[in-house]
Amino acid sequence: MTAIVALCIGVVGVVMLVVAQVLRRRVSRMTDRGTPELRALHAEVRDTLDRAGWVASVRIYRRRTGAGLLEAYQAVDRIAHDESRGRGPTR
């Protein structure tokens, strides 16, 4: 019985590692500098910031990139500050 539990825990661990790797690749593709997808994401986040505020912007960023809550909040914060400085999505 304990062998089955240990095997299940091992399988779940491997699945979690694979999912984490896939999500990392997805986020790295989204954060490549100056890509059309990144510009579109920044535009959508800025529009949502103007219309609905921070919470909605973070939610959109998380949905589009698969990022965690803290990472999405920091990204939206960078996007907002880049906008206020007149810089584009190349940061």
Side-chain angles (χ1 to χ4, degrees), residues 3-4 7 18 44 47 56 62 86:
I4 294 173
L7 180 63
V18 169
E44 184 177 0
D47 291 343
R62 289 186 73 192

Side-chain angles (χ1 to χ4, degrees), residues 37-74:
E37 295 86 10
L38 183 61
R39 286 192 294 272
L41 175 61
H42 280 223
E44 184 177 0
V45 167
R46 283 191 301 270
D47 291 343
T48 306
L49 270 170
D50 293 339
R51 287 185 288 110
W54 280 88
V55 173
S57 297
V58 169
R59 188 178 301 133
I60 284 175
Y61 190 90
R62 289 186 73 192
R63 281 188 194 145
R64 295 270 307 270
T65 64
L69 181 60
L70 179 61
E71 182 182 354
Y73 176 82
Q74 291 169 341

